[in-house]
Amino acid sequence: MSANPVRLAVMGAGLIGRRHIEHILAEPMAALQSVIDPSAEAQALAAERGWRWQPGFDGAGPDKPDGVIVATPNAMHVEHGLTAIASGIPVLIEKPLADSVEGAEKLVAAAEKAGVPLAVGHHRRHNPIIARAKARIAAGELGPLVAVHGFFWIAKPDDYFNVTWRRESGAGPILINLIHEIDLIRHLCGEIAEVSAIASNQQRGFAVEDSAAVMMRFANGALGTFTLSDAIPSPWSWELTSAENPAYAATGEAYLMIGGREASLSLPRLELWQHKPVKSWWQPMIGERESFPPVDPLRAQITQFCRVIRDGEAPLVPGREGLESLRVIEAIRQAAATGQSVRLA
Ligand SMILES: NC(=O)c1ccc[n+]([C@@H]2O[C@H](COP(=O)([O-])OP(=O)(O)OC[C@H]3O[C@@H](n4cnc5c(N)ncnc54)[C@H](O)[C@@H]3O)[C@@H](O)[C@H]2O)c1
């Protein structure tokens, strides 16, 4: 390992930016170069903790960071990502990569043209549970995939919506939360070819939706459903089952079920269910569970970002993957708005 730490700047010291800062401070390969955030709150926090603080970032100046993490509101990702790319600085952009497919395409094109690494914060792919599930599906343990079903049923506290942009159209659970699920489902089950959806804002009454139901057809022929709401107290969500973030009390339940012709797999329990000795509903159904110690994939994401910068490793979740997941989300939003199913190329 090089003696020099990878110097990372964090743009946006809000909810998630502060977690990135903690992980950078705990990562031996990394050092916090600066916190970039114009708010008085961020300035005060930086002064209190002794972090270097800047109100803005233009990519110029002699003391450039080795990498930038963009954790600003969605609508700023393109501008902030393009600034880093134009300065030749590798960038990890929080999900969603952008607030529109066009914006995400711009970012991916600029990064590819400049040869600057662009990673997206779909951090769950850094979780060993997901890597193991992917390997088991790829090894054919489930057989050809038939169906997937998942939940994001969660109760966001009312004060979460005190931040204006979280109440506005485009900042709801479809873009903020479902994008994690869609990215994971694409990663595990393959490309999504067609979607239909219904969304509702009936529970909270904001411009943005609070609940939605989605149907999916995969390119490999499998079918999927996913229901989401930020207004339901429930034990069934990645957040409350994966134990990846100590801020959430883990329930030990499963939230995503993937079914193949040979077996079914539940996540994050990694429980593989099959009939033995013969595949028939008259035979006993045996569930075998693999357990993993909880890992915070946000930390693993920082470690990998350091290797991208220092060793030239490819990002585990490159910008293009963030773009493809965003395309599915846009198709879901379009399907929900029009009531028509949408096919993806
Ligand atoms: N990966 C995850 O699980 C996860 C979780 C939460 C949020 N996010 C994403 O992270 C992003 C931020 O979300 P949040 O919940 O932390 O928001 P937040 O509102 O808590 O924080 C945003 C921060 O950006 C700062 N900011 C505003 N304008 C800026 C500018 N021009 N330059 C620098 N900083 C600026 C604000 O002052 C604020 O501190 C969003 O894209 C969100 O989707 C990802």
Side-chain angles (χ1 to χ4, degrees):
M1 190 192 291
S2 150
N4 294 330
V6 178
R7 296 161 65 253
L8 299 176
V10 175
M11 288 188 88
L15 200 64
I16 195 78
R18 273 174 267 164
R19 292 189 61 211
H20 288 307
I21 292 169
E22 279 168 29
H23 288 304
I24 291 170
L25 294 172
E27 168 57 57
M29 234 190 295
L32 182 66
Q33 190 264 355
S34 64
V35 170
I36 303 158
D37 189 320
S39 71
E41 201 186 332
Q43 185 179 16
L45 185 70
E48 183 192 312
R49 304 285 170 88
W51 304 330
R52 185 170 165 221
W53 172 82
Q54 303 177 74
F57 175 70
D58 60 8
D63 187 22
K64 283 205 248 180
D66 300 323
V68 174
I69 297 175
V70 173
T72 50
N74 300 343
M76 298 177 181
H77 289 186
V78 176
E79 180 197 334
H80 292 155
L82 288 176
T83 303
I85 292 165
S87 316
I89 302 172
V91 60
L92 165 63
I93 301 183
E94 260 307 340
K95 47 53 62 173
L97 180 57
D99 61 351
S100 69
V101 164
E102 294 71 30
E105 281 173 339
K106 254 191 220 168
L107 279 168
V108 170
E112 288 180 354
K113 188 163 175 225
V116 173
L118 166 62
V120 193
H122 287 299
H123 63 273
R124 292 184 194 173
R125 293 200 197 189
H126 292 266
N127 194 312
I129 294 172
I130 300 308
R132 182 68 184 132
K134 170 96 175 154
R136 295 189 82 160
I137 293 169
E141 287 187 55
L142 275 63
L145 296 186
V146 181
V148 56
H149 177 70
F151 300 82
F152 173 82
W153 290 9
I154 212 161
K156 290 184 183 168
D158 292 344
D159 64 5
Y160 175 92
F161 298 94
N162 291 347
V163 179
T164 313
W165 69 271
R166 291 187 178 140
R167 301 191 296 269
E168 289 167 357
S169 178
I174 290 183
L175 191 59
I176 300 284
N177 307 106
L178 185 64
I179 192 156
H180 278 305
E181 312 297 346
I182 291 296
D183 185 69
L184 208 56
I185 288 171
R186 283 184 52 246
H187 183 57
L188 295 173
C189 302
E191 290 302 342
I192 295 167
E194 186 180 354
V195 295
S196 38
I198 312 169
S200 162
N201 66 351
Q202 185 181 316
Q203 305 308 325
R204 294 190 185 278
F206 296 139
V208 69
E209 80 284 346
D210 48 62
S211 309
V214 178
M215 289 201 294
M216 299 165 266
R217 183 191 301 280
F218 291 80
N220 60 20
L223 304 176
T225 50
F226 202 98
T227 49
L228 62 149
S229 175
D230 60 30
I232 307 177
S234 107
W236 306 302
S237 61
W238 168 265
E239 284 75 1
L240 267 67
T241 60
S242 67
E244 72 170 24
N245 180 349
Y248 299 106
T251 63
E253 295 282 322
Y255 92 103
L256 188 71
M257 286 83 176
I258 303 174
R261 293 292 302 274
E262 302 304 323
S264 312
L265 182 68
S266 76
L267 288 176
R269 290 172 62 86
L270 272 176
E271 211 158 37
L272 191 83
W273 289 93
Q274 55 200 137
H275 287 290
K276 285 187 177 170
V278 176
K279 187 171 63 173
S280 154
W281 67 0
W282 306 120
Q283 297 290 323
M285 166 70 25
I286 312 291
E288 286 163 12
R289 184 174 178 194
E290 258 184 287
S291 53
F292 280 85
V295 164
D296 190 335
L298 272 184
R299 169 66 183 278
Q301 182 177 252
I302 295 284
T303 310
Q304 209 256 336
F305 190 45
C306 287
R307 290 200 303 269
V308 167
I309 295 167
R310 195 193 62 187
D311 306 335
E313 205 174 287
L316 185 73
V317 194
R320 196 162 273 286
E321 284 295 293
L323 166 60
E324 294 310 324
S325 292
L326 189 58
R327 275 193 216 286
V328 178
I329 291 294
E330 289 243 335
I332 289 170
R333 290 170 73 185
Q334 189 187 332
T338 62
Q340 305 287 317
S341 68
V342 176
R343 284 171 195 245
L344 288 125

